[in-house]
């Protein structure tokens, strides 16, 4: 690969054969040298999980002048760690994870394997971006998410990101182009009614993860869920540092003594 070109590491949590990953690779062509390291199967909901009890494996699937494709037996975070430590000969100029099949707006950023890989990239010091399509239909069209992902990736390569900051891009599923990219904040809320129950043939109760998202009230007019509902793609700058600096002085007034 030409070392004069930017090096872009691509991963996801839907697996090496995911439609969204293929769209992302196609969308980023021409921006630099692309190296894909993705899980060998779906790893949704893995967040920042790592594999520590069994060894990892990875295999080269495709090699060309501008594109190398590997798959890994581990999690999305494992993919980033393995690529940076064992496969690449230099630090990537950009990490892009996605295109996730389903939205990672609001608190979903904390559960997502797609965003777990982005967080890992940011921790390592790579400017990192997650791209998600807020739709889970089997035949979802990822082209608009790919177009916008390329736009943000190109600008991130050109301008960089502050140390400890990563980007979370979510794109609504709609006919034609979105209204634009809205830089906004993460919505607050939580998931409720999170399991469907059924009984198997042996009488064992089974719990299938599901749920409904309930947003905090009042909601901000510039949060990511409202922007998506309004036909905009949401772009949220996020921090690795989760310290609540505003509360630190109050916490220091507590008397940490035994009763």
């Amino acid at each position: 690969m030409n070392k004069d070109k930017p090096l872009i590491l691509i991963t996801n949590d839907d697996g090496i054969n995911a439609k969204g990953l293929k769209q992302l690779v196609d969308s980023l062509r021409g921006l630099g040298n692309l190296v894909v390291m993705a899980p060998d199967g779906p790893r949704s909901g893995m967040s920042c999980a790592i594999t520590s009890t069994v060894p990892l494996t990875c295999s080269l699937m495709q090699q060309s002048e501008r594109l190398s494709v590997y798959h890994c037996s581990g999690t999305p975070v494992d993919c980033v760690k393995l690529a940076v430590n064992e496969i690449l000969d230099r630090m990537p100029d950009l990490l892009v994870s996605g295109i996730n099949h389903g939205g990672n707006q609001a608190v979903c950023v904390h559960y997502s394997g797609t965003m777990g890989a982005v967080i890992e990239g940011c921790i390592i010091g790579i400017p990192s971006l997650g791209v998600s399509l807020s739709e889970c239909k089997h035949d979802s069209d990822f082209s608009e998410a790919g177009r916008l992902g390329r736009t943000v990736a190109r600008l991130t390569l050109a301008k960089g990101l502050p140390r400890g900051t990563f980007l979370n891009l979510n794109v609504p599923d709609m006919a034609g182009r979105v209204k634009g990219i809205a830089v906004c904040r993460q919505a607050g809320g939580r998931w409720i009614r999170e399991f469907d129950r059924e009984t198997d043939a042996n009488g064992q109760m089974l719990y299938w993860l599901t749920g409904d998202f309930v947003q905090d009230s009042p909601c901000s007019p510039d949060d990511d869920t409202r922007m998506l509902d309004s036909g905009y793609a949401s772009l949220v700058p996020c921090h690795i540092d989760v310290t609540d600096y505003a509360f630190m002085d109050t916490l220091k007034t507590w008397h940490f003594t035994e009763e």
Side-chain angles (χ1 to χ4, degrees), residues 14-90:
D14 291 322
I16 192 68
N17 295 314
K19 183 179 178 182
L21 180 67
K22 292 180 173 62
Q23 179 68 63
L24 182 60
V25 170
D26 288 343
S27 298
L28 296 181
R29 289 183 187 275
L31 291 183
N33 299 317
L34 309 182
V35 176
V36 177
M37 175 70 83
D40 56 14
R43 302 287 192 276
S44 294
M46 286 288 177
S47 186
C48 293
I50 55 175
T51 301
S52 59
T53 57
V54 296
L56 297 172
T57 62
C58 75
S59 299
L60 177 64
M61 298 178 61
Q62 179 182 343
Q63 179 81 63
S64 63
E65 186 180 1
R66 292 283 183 264
L67 174 65
S68 298
V69 179
Y70 299 81
H71 66 71
C72 169
S73 61
T75 68
V77 172
D78 291 330
C79 290
V80 177
K81 288 180 175 292
L82 195 62
V84 170
N85 285 277
E86 299 294 333
I87 301 299
L88 303 177
D89 62 359
R90 58 189 169 105

Side-chain angles (χ1 to χ4, degrees), residues 1-258:
M1 288 186 173
N2 186 346
K3 293 189 176 182
D4 293 332
K5 295 284 187 179
L7 177 59
I8 302 174
L9 176 60
I10 299 173
T11 190
N12 74 346
D13 74 358
D14 291 322
I16 192 68
N17 295 314
K19 183 179 178 182
L21 180 67
K22 292 180 173 62
Q23 179 68 63
L24 182 60
V25 170
D26 288 343
S27 298
L28 296 181
R29 289 183 187 275
L31 291 183
N33 299 317
L34 309 182
V35 176
V36 177
M37 175 70 83
D40 56 14
R43 302 287 192 276
S44 294
M46 286 288 177
S47 186
C48 293
I50 55 175
T51 301
S52 59
T53 57
V54 296
L56 297 172
T57 62
C58 75
S59 299
L60 177 64
M61 298 178 61
Q62 179 182 343
Q63 179 81 63
S64 63
E65 186 180 1
R66 292 283 183 264
L67 174 65
S68 298
V69 179
Y70 299 81
H71 66 71
C72 169
S73 61
T75 68
V77 172
D78 291 330
C79 290
V80 177
K81 288 180 175 292
L82 195 62
V84 170
N85 285 277
E86 299 294 333
I87 301 299
L88 303 177
D89 62 359
R90 58 189 169 105
M91 189 68 75
D93 298 288
L94 178 69
L95 181 148
V96 187
S97 183
I99 300 169
N100 193 65
H101 201 169
N104 281 316
Q105 64 269 29
V107 297
C108 293
V109 67
H110 297 289
Y111 303 115
S112 166
T114 294
M115 296 308 299
V118 174
I119 290 169
E120 181 64 23
C122 185
I123 289 171
I124 294 171
I126 307 167
S128 298
L129 160 69
V131 184
S132 303
L133 177 67
S134 296
E135 176 54 63
C136 294
K137 295 183 299 188
H138 175 70
D139 60 346
S140 294
D141 182 356
F142 290 88
S143 58
E144 182 70 344
R147 182 183 72 85
L148 296 175
R150 178 187 176 88
T151 296
V152 178
R154 176 178 54 80
L155 289 169
T156 303
L157 280 170
K159 298 178 178 296
L161 293 175
R163 177 79 184 191
T165 296
F166 59 95
L167 298 178
N168 183 18
L169 174 67
N170 284 275
V171 180
D173 181 57
M174 54 190 296
R177 293 196 170 190
V178 302
K179 294 179 180 179
I181 296 176
V183 176
C184 53
R185 68 182 67 196
Q186 175 187 308
R190 61 182 292 263
W191 290 88
I192 61 172
R193 297 183 289 275
E194 294 190 76
F195 293 95
D196 282 339
R197 293 180 292 176
E198 65 179 51
T199 306
D200 69 11
N202 298 317
Q204 175 69 49
M205 187 67 75
L206 305 176
Y207 300 90
W208 292 96
L209 186 65
T210 178
D212 301 305
F213 182 73
V214 177
Q215 189 163 342
D216 288 345
S217 181
C219 55
S220 171
D222 66 341
D223 70 38
D224 52 7
T225 58
R226 294 196 72 170
M227 290 296 100
L228 288 163
D229 289 343
S230 299
Y232 290 87
S234 64
L235 183 63
V236 179
C238 306
H239 272 138
I240 292 295
D241 185 351
V242 296
T243 306
D244 186 342
Y245 290 99
F247 186 62
M248 282 181 65
D249 289 339
T250 299
L251 189 59
K252 290 175 182 177
T253 67
W254 291 15
H255 299 289
F256 297 103
T257 58
E258 296 183 6

